Amino acid sequence: MIGRILLFLGIFVATVVWHFPYDRAIADRVARLENRTGIQVDYTPLSASAGGVEWRDVRLTTRAGVQVAFDQATLKPTWSGMSAQAIQGKGQARLVMGRSGELTVRTDQLKIDSGSPQFGNMIVTGNITHNLSRSSGEGNVRLELPNHKIPLPVDQITFEVGSHIFWQDRGLGYEVRAEVKLTGGSEMAADGNLLLEPAIGQPARLSGSINFQTKLGKGRLILMGNWKSPQWTVEYDK
């Protein structure tokens, strides 16, 4: 009798696991993330099973127009929230959403479209944490800007930007603060602070100052304008 009961329970559990609507569970979690972060998620579903939900042609778009595309992604509902892994050529991202409202993302060589012709594409490696209940977060990232148009006086076009970033939802969008350190090979070293402030119906306002030192001397790069169309002035120390 006990054996039959255990067999029945085993079959019942296996049936529930097999037929559980994983795709719907993931879609619900993703919809909540879209509402709470302002990030739009587009994708083509491939499969849904106990091993997770698989997507292809995944695209994430922020309110500021920043976009990242993935070839494929696997998402799994967990007791505490959701976990995901997304692949993009040589780049990848891992995401964990916990029950406490924390969203942790780890990226490695992830190519991101900045949404600005002046900044171009960014290759991002680092860790960020976003608190959904407080609508704020922070992270440490390294950005490579291989095709930027920033008027810094260096011969080497590609340079890296190491940043400690903070952000907070101000109702109209996210205010972003960044403490940046720039290197342009052996030709330049720079550091400073950047600020992005949300604006109604417009790209985020950009401001900041970066002190630099090159073989041509010392100076400052003053940033203004907005994220889509940044403006800058270069001042050299006398």
Side-chain angles (χ1 to χ4, degrees):
M1 177 63 71
I2 295 178
R4 291 181 179 178
I5 293 175
L6 292 176
L7 177 60
F8 171 77
L9 290 176
I11 295 174
F12 175 76
V13 171
T15 301
V16 171
V17 170
W18 183 259
H19 292 286
F20 184 82
Y22 295 99
D23 51 347
R24 190 183 308 164
I26 288 294
D28 289 343
R29 285 166 170 78
V30 169
R32 289 201 296 269
L33 279 178
E34 286 182 313
N35 291 333
R36 301 179 74 172
T37 64
I39 296 176
Q40 179 181 336
V41 182
D42 299 297
Y43 60 90
T44 300
L46 281 181
S47 63
S49 67
V53 173
E54 293 188 17
W55 295 346
R56 65 176 173 85
D57 301 329
V58 183
R59 183 177 298 274
L60 280 64
T61 307
T62 72
R63 294 172 182 167
V66 179
Q67 291 188 347
V68 56
F70 297 98
D71 303 319
Q72 61 185 45
T74 301
L75 303 90
K76 300 178 181 180
T78 65
W79 292 113
S80 59
M82 180 177 66
S83 66
Q85 180 177 9
I87 304 298
Q88 176 207 74
K90 296 181 179 179
Q92 65 175 329
R94 294 178 179 272
L95 175 149
V96 176
M97 185 175 70
R99 183 175 295 177
S100 61
E102 268 199 351
L103 183 67
T104 301
V105 181
R106 295 180 174 86
T107 64
D108 182 26
Q109 293 292 300
L110 194 63
K111 184 177 179 181
I112 296 177
D113 181 353
S114 70
S116 167
Q118 304 298 323
F119 294 119
N121 291 324
M122 305 182 292
I123 301 175
V124 183
T125 298
N127 302 323
I128 64 173
T129 300
H130 181 77
N131 189 293
L132 293 170
S133 59
R134 293 198 297 265
S135 297
S136 64
E138 62 179 301
N140 289 284
V141 298
R142 187 184 80 242
L143 307 179
E144 299 175 47
L145 307 178
N147 52 356
H148 70 90
K149 294 182 174 65
I150 303 174
L152 287 169
V154 292
D155 297 329
Q156 182 173 323
I157 296 177
T158 300
F159 63 86
E160 295 185 3
V161 182
S163 304
H164 191 187
I165 302 174
F166 311 84
W167 57 89
Q168 174 69 60
D169 190 354
R170 298 302 185 190
L172 302 175
Y174 282 90
E175 176 185 273
V176 181
R177 298 178 180 272
E179 301 171 354
V180 301
K181 292 184 181 295
L182 288 71
T183 60
S186 60
E187 297 187 10
M188 186 197 72
D191 63 81
N193 295 280
L194 301 178
L195 172 65
L196 283 169
E197 299 177 282
I200 299 177
Q202 298 179 5
R205 294 187 296 269
L206 174 65
S207 61
S209 175
I210 298 175
N211 299 312
F212 63 82
Q213 181 172 358
T214 73
K215 61 184 181 181
L216 299 177
K218 297 181 180 180
R220 282 168 301 285
L221 178 69
I222 310 299
L223 291 95
M224 61 199 80
N226 60 56
W227 181 256
K228 289 280 189 179
S229 302
Q231 302 172 23
W232 26 55
T233 301
V234 178
E235 301 176 351
Y236 283 99
D237 294 343
K238 296 181 180 180

